[in-house]
Amino acid sequence: MTDRRGAGTSCGGQTQADNILWRALSVISFCVLLGLMAAPQSAHAQSFTINSFEVEGNRRIETSTIITRTGIEPGQTVTAGELNDAFQRLLDSGVFETVELTPRGNTLVIEVEEYPTINQISIEGNRRVKDDVLIEAISSEPRRVFTPQVAEADADLIAQIYSAQGRVSATVIPRIIRRSDNRVDLVFEVAEGTTIEIERVSFVGNRAYTDRRLRRVLETKQANFLRTFLRGDTFIADRIEFDQQVIRDFYLSRGYVDFRVNSTNVEFTQERDAFFLVMNITEGQKFSFGQISTVSEIPGVDAADYQAALKIKPGVTYSPSLIENSIARQERLGIKQGVDFLRVEPRVTRNPSDLTLDVQFVLTRGPRIFVERIDIEGNTTTLDRVIRRQFDTVEGDPFNPREIRQAAERIRALGFFAVADVEPREGSTPSQVIVDVDVEEQPTGSLSLGGSFSVSDGFGIAVGLNESNFLGRGQNLGLTLSTAQDSEQYVVNFTEPYLLGRRLRFDLGLGLATTNSSFASFDTERLFFAPQLSYAIGELSSLRLRYNWENSEMTQQDDEINGAVIASEIAQGERSTSSLGVSYVYDSRLGGLNPNAGVLFEVGVDAAGLGGDNEFFKSTARAIAQTRVLSEEVVLRASLELGALHWTGDDFSRTLDRFVLGPSTFRGFEPSGIGPRDLSNGQDDAIGGNYYWVARFESDFPLGLPEELGLRGGVFYDVGNLYNLDDVNTAGADIVGEDGSIRHVIGVSLLWDTPFGPLRFNFSKALVKEDFDQEQNFDLTIQARF
């Protein structure tokens, strides 16, 4: 029993375990079977067969257009993912504010809510920038679909316009006002904020030049009390980037080849109402040219000829522009000698011991690439030939990248285009290139209003109309009307810079001038016609050939009693002059080897007698030398000017024909204040002279005042003489000063650079003069253009 009971007990436990195992297997099998049964049903639930469409909510957009936009065709079976793609396509169309897709059986229900159309656009809160300027800049337009993304982008654009004017704190919020028929009024609410100015511009790392000198180079200016008229002190990010390049060019042109801008930091002041601009720079050492040599790697090309074409010499301050000019000289010589594809490679060797740079110009043969054609696009007014003549290269010429770059600079310098891009690309074959010129024209006409003041003529205004690209031909046509208390002038000017398709400049002046000066005992009327041809005979020199015809008359002023000389000249009545003249001009002040020094030399002669009443030879000359010293802070200038009149006619000369000096020529005296005078009839008439010379020596320098005031000081010393009355009718006259005497004048100046124009205050004292001279101890000159 016991054994059976024991055996029975063991069998019962085994049976219970088997039952548990069987139940577990049954549950697992059921789950697997359920999963297998459910899987096809789930896949079937995520697929839809679309046989028809229902579109709801659309007002402007056609139903067919919306269905087509989904990309689903009737009868097509689509998955949930494809429905999501259709949803995204409708949303991306930019015309629906909301989209909902709902499958109902075999029908796809499309519910949309269209974006409203813009009824009108208005801008509120703007005072500094006019509505039409802002509305023209934005993309949103009336009767177009309103989208928040475009409105936000337009708000950012308006804020950028304010930022460009220094109002970086300006905010713009777009808002909509709902109207009927699903329309909205779009309103941009502008908070202009205050103008954020540059309170201080400073430099770190500069040793050769002071902050004051470097600030004059930059476009960005420190704030000053005249900022209402001068906006150069506002913070503009793009201007800061431009200034970095400008300061780099400044140092490179002065031999600092290792110069770099380490950083430019712009920080708010503590009050957060202005900026501090700090430019951290490394100047490096100043280098000069060392040994200059030329070698040729082209058989048959003599390097000595090309070496002789160079102008730079050892010891001259190094400048990249001088290297570029030297390359251009040698390449032009290669063209003259028929050497095609000449390339000049400058190889620079640094000599740290003596701070010089040896430059070896290597003459090599470049790749045989030709210019296939020059394509010009974007010019709607300017004729193609105006742009093409800026190229020294024509179709079929060897391709020279440097000449193309220079042509691009000349095109930009015309001032006719807001954008001028010149890019070469491969032509029809690898050995040819096409030069693409893409331009965007800008207005070239202008109306100017100017004001002036001088002791000679008093206060005056000038109105000018000018068109610098007349009829798209690159010609300049201008009309100037100027009037002052003592003079009036009406002049028409015309300039053709490329006469007969050559670099021959033609100028024509036609005008009428009258004077009624309180410094003369007579009035004048003058009608003139003056054409002139100018031709560059060198990089810095030009030759001018001119013709001048004028009809002039001296008339008596009201209730004025004249001396014997003036009375006889008034009695001559109208007289005409027909003269031919030639001048030579050399000017290295801008394009010379030294950026801190230069000279101007001009000499000319006019011969009258080619018709007309007057016959004479009139010679003039002037020379000016200028340099900067003491870190370029102090300007030294010396000039010499002289003239001679040799009268050959049978009649007597007039005061109009002789030389008369004013304060612009010889400071310290009134207009016509020195020279021979006629004291007859109780008068004191200035009658001019046949010969004169004046030497002027001057310097201007900083006064130590805040630079933003724009004030500089100056000192000057003038010395000169005006004399000789040959061929003058002196019968009955009481003449003094005919033989002349040397006058000496010293003085100080205050120079004020204002937004209205440069002002110069001269305070002078004549050290040596004649008793009959008319001294002038103060002179003010104002010239402004608005």
Side-chain angles (χ1 to χ4, degrees):
M1 289 291 295
T2 302
D3 294 340
R4 285 194 185 112
R5 287 195 296 268
T9 302
S10 174
C11 181
Q14 182 66 39
T15 301
Q16 186 178 4
D18 291 342
N19 289 338
I20 294 173
L21 178 61
W22 183 84
R23 290 173 181 172
L25 291 174
S26 298
V27 172
I28 293 174
S29 299
F30 176 77
C31 291
V32 171
L33 180 61
L34 184 61
L36 292 174
M37 294 174 63
Q41 294 176 356
S42 175
H44 178 71
Q46 295 300 318
S47 298
F48 309 92
T49 300
I50 306 301
N51 294 326
S52 61
F53 300 87
E54 289 185 9
V55 180
E56 300 176 357
N58 56 315
R59 297 182 181 181
R60 301 187 313 273
I61 311 302
E62 295 290 339
T63 298
S64 59
T65 301
I66 297 175
I67 295 173
T68 302
R69 188 71 180 178
T70 63
I72 301 174
E73 299 290 339
Q76 180 180 345
T77 299
V78 295
T79 65
E82 290 172 329
L83 282 179
N84 185 68
D85 292 340
F87 166 81
Q88 197 63 45
R89 281 192 291 270
L90 289 174
L91 204 59
D92 291 344
S93 64
V95 296
F96 302 115
E97 192 169 353
T98 62
V99 176
E100 185 175 347
L101 302 183
T102 306
R104 294 178 183 172
N106 294 331
T107 301
L108 180 61
V109 180
I110 306 173
E111 298 181 44
V112 297
E113 182 181 349
E114 296 174 343
Y115 275 122
T117 56
I118 300 174
N119 179 50
Q120 65 179 10
I121 299 175
S122 60
I123 300 177
E124 298 179 355
N126 58 311
R127 293 185 302 168
R128 301 293 180 178
V129 185
K130 295 182 178 180
D131 286 4
D132 54 353
V133 175
L134 299 177
I135 291 177
E136 185 178 351
I138 62 179
S139 300
S140 299
E141 297 180 11
R143 296 183 297 278
R144 295 288 183 88
V145 175
F146 166 79
T147 58
Q149 296 84 353
V150 174
E152 289 291 344
D154 288 340
D156 291 340
L157 182 58
I158 294 174
Q160 290 175 16
I161 294 175
Y162 276 96
S163 179
Q165 297 188 359
R167 297 180 179 271
V168 295
S169 60
T171 59
V172 182
I173 300 175
R175 301 189 187 278
I176 59 173
I177 301 175
R178 297 281 181 178
R179 300 298 184 188
S180 60
D181 300 326
N182 198 28
R183 296 175 302 141
V184 295
D185 291 344
L186 177 58
V187 180
F188 292 96
E189 296 182 354
V190 179
E192 293 182 327
T194 58
T195 300
I196 307 299
E197 60 191 23
I198 303 291
E199 183 171 309
R200 186 173 68 244
V201 178
S202 58
F203 298 84
V204 176
N206 54 314
R207 295 174 299 169
Y209 299 100
T210 64
D211 285 12
R212 181 189 301 272
R213 177 66 184 99
L214 296 180
R215 278 194 289 265
R216 291 209 303 270
V217 178
L218 303 183
E219 186 74 15
T220 300
K221 304 299 181 182
Q222 289 187 162
N224 64 67
F225 69 96
L226 290 171
R227 69 172 319 280
T228 302
F229 310 99
L230 182 66
R231 297 294 177 179
D233 60 331
T234 54
F235 172 73
I236 301 175
D238 291 343
R239 185 188 290 161
I240 302 299
E241 296 178 4
F242 174 77
D243 284 338
Q244 294 183 31
Q245 183 61 45
V246 168
I247 201 72
R248 182 175 183 272
D249 293 342
F250 172 83
Y251 271 96
L252 288 180
S253 66
R254 287 155 175 78
Y256 294 87
V257 297
D258 298 322
F259 173 83
R260 66 179 183 271
V261 178
N262 301 318
S263 63
T264 301
N265 298 321
V266 180
E267 299 179 354
F268 267 119
T269 60
Q270 186 174 0
E271 296 79 8
R272 301 187 66 81
D273 59 352
F275 283 109
F276 291 146
L277 172 61
V278 181
M279 191 173 291
N280 188 302
I281 63 176
T282 298
E283 291 181 330
Q285 298 290 332
K286 182 177 181 179
F287 284 79
S288 301
F289 283 105
Q291 182 179 356
I292 309 296
S293 60
T294 304
V295 298
S296 174
E297 296 180 353
I298 305 176
V301 175
D302 187 2
D305 295 340
Y306 293 83
Q307 177 71 19
L310 300 178
K311 295 296 184 181
I312 54 177
K313 304 297 181 184
V316 174
T317 300
Y318 178 85
S319 172
S321 62
L322 298 183
I323 296 291
E324 189 72 14
N325 292 341
S326 298
I327 294 174
R329 284 176 172 274
Q330 293 185 331
E331 287 182 348
R332 285 197 297 266
L333 179 59
I335 293 174
K336 291 181 180 179
Q337 294 184 349
V339 182
D340 293 333
F341 307 105
L342 174 68
R343 295 292 181 269
V344 181
E345 178 185 346
R347 297 176 182 173
V348 180
T349 303
R350 183 188 295 255
N351 302 312
S353 59
D354 57 359
L355 297 180
T356 61
L357 298 173
D358 297 338
V359 182
Q360 184 181 68
F361 295 95
V362 182
L363 310 180
T364 63
R365 184 84 69 177
R368 296 182 61 85
I369 300 177
F370 296 88
V371 176
E372 182 176 352
R373 67 177 185 271
I374 300 174
D375 288 344
I376 302 174
E377 295 183 356
N379 54 318
T380 56
T381 301
T382 306
L383 301 180
D384 278 7
R385 70 168 183 261
V386 174
I387 300 175
R388 286 183 179 274
R389 68 193 183 193
Q390 306 306 319
F391 288 89
D392 292 329
T393 301
V394 298
E395 284 84 348
D397 281 356
F399 174 67
N400 188 322
R402 186 194 56 78
E403 288 188 355
I404 299 301
R405 290 194 302 270
Q406 291 183 342
E409 293 300 322
R410 288 193 289 267
I411 292 172
R412 297 185 186 105
L414 291 174
F416 303 160
F417 310 108
V419 177
D421 295 325
V422 180
E423 296 292 340
R425 59 183 171 89
E426 185 175 324
S428 56
T429 65
S431 62
Q432 293 180 310
V433 297
I434 297 174
V435 180
D436 289 327
V437 182
D438 295 321
V439 299
E440 179 183 330
E441 293 184 327
Q442 63 183 2
T444 54
S446 63
L447 169 65
S448 61
L449 174 64
S452 64
F453 171 79
S454 68
V455 174
S456 304
D457 300 322
F459 287 98
I461 62 172
V463 179
L465 294 171
N466 191 78
E467 171 56 58
S468 60
N469 190 16
F470 182 61
L471 298 178
R473 299 173 179 269
Q475 301 165 339
N476 185 284
L477 180 63
L479 171 64
T480 302
L481 294 82
S482 61
T483 178
Q485 289 176 307
D486 296 337
S487 67
E488 292 183 357
Q489 187 166 267
Y490 309 90
V491 181
V492 176
N493 292 306
F494 174 79
T495 299
E496 167 56 72
Y498 282 80
L499 185 64
L500 302 177
R502 300 179 179 274
R503 290 186 177 175
L504 181 64
R505 179 187 175 101
F506 172 72
D507 294 283
L508 175 63
L510 175 64
L512 171 67
T514 64
T515 64
N516 181 19
S517 176
S518 58
F519 295 98
S521 57
F522 57 91
D523 297 336
T524 66
E525 292 184 2
R526 185 169 67 97
L527 178 66
F528 61 90
F529 168 76
Q532 176 177 272
L533 293 174
S534 302
Y535 178 71
I537 58 178
E539 293 181 2
L540 304 174
S541 57
S542 63
L543 196 64
R544 299 173 183 172
L545 179 65
R546 60 183 171 272
Y547 172 77
N548 183 70
W549 176 90
E550 71 174 42
N551 188 79
S552 58
E553 181 180 12
M554 297 172 57
T555 60
Q556 187 172 0
Q557 293 181 349
D558 295 339
D559 301 326
E560 182 71 26
I561 299 176
N562 301 115
V565 174
I566 298 299
S568 67
E569 294 175 353
I570 291 176
Q572 294 186 36
E574 293 186 3
R575 297 188 62 85
S576 61
T577 301
S578 176
S579 64
L580 186 65
V582 61
S583 294
Y584 169 80
V585 180
Y586 175 87
D587 191 352
S588 67
R589 292 175 297 178
L590 294 179
L593 299 180
N594 188 346
N596 295 322
V599 298
L600 167 68
F601 175 72
E602 180 177 359
V603 60
V605 61
D606 292 89
L610 305 174
D613 301 317
N614 298 328
E615 298 180 13
F616 58 81
F617 289 94
K618 199 171 192 177
S619 303
T620 58
R622 63 171 177 155
I624 301 174
Q626 176 178 302
T627 187
R628 292 180 177 271
V629 297
L630 300 179
S631 299
E632 302 183 17
E633 292 278 13
V634 178
V635 178
L636 303 178
R637 187 180 300 109
S639 63
L640 174 65
E641 185 176 339
L642 51 88
L645 173 67
H646 178 58
W647 195 264
T648 59
D650 296 331
D651 297 322
F652 293 108
S653 67
R654 300 172 302 170
T655 304
L656 278 183
D657 307 312
R658 297 186 291 273
F659 297 105
V660 176
L661 304 186
S664 61
T665 305
F666 198 161
R667 289 164 290 199
F669 297 96
E670 292 181 354
S672 306
I674 69 168
R677 308 185 77 85
D678 179 13
L679 306 181
S680 62
N681 298 331
Q683 301 302 305
D684 185 5
D685 294 339
I687 55 178
N690 291 327
Y691 303 106
Y692 86 95
W693 63 268
V694 176
R696 296 183 292 270
F697 306 90
E698 58 188 313
S699 173
D700 62 80
F701 43 82
L703 293 173
L705 300 174
E707 185 185 2
E708 53 269 25
L709 296 178
L711 293 172
R712 290 174 62 85
V715 295
F716 62 87
Y717 166 65
D718 290 1
V719 56
N721 192 11
L722 173 65
Y723 58 100
N724 190 274
L725 291 177
D726 293 344
D727 301 298
V728 176
N729 184 7
T730 58
D734 182 9
I735 303 298
V736 295
E738 180 177 359
D739 296 332
S741 62
I742 299 177
R743 282 81 163 177
H744 300 261
V745 175
I746 60 172
V748 297
S749 299
L750 180 64
L751 295 85
W752 189 15
D753 190 11
T754 74
F756 302 106
L759 308 184
R760 186 180 186 106
F761 305 85
N762 290 328
F763 304 88
S764 60
K765 175 64 178 178
L767 299 179
V768 178
K769 67 180 185 69
E770 297 291 342
D771 294 337
F772 51 81
D773 289 340
Q774 304 296 318
E775 190 175 0
Q776 178 177 279
N777 301 117
F778 172 74
D779 178 36
L780 167 63
T781 302
I782 305 175
Q783 185 173 1
R785 187 168 296 275
F786 309 98

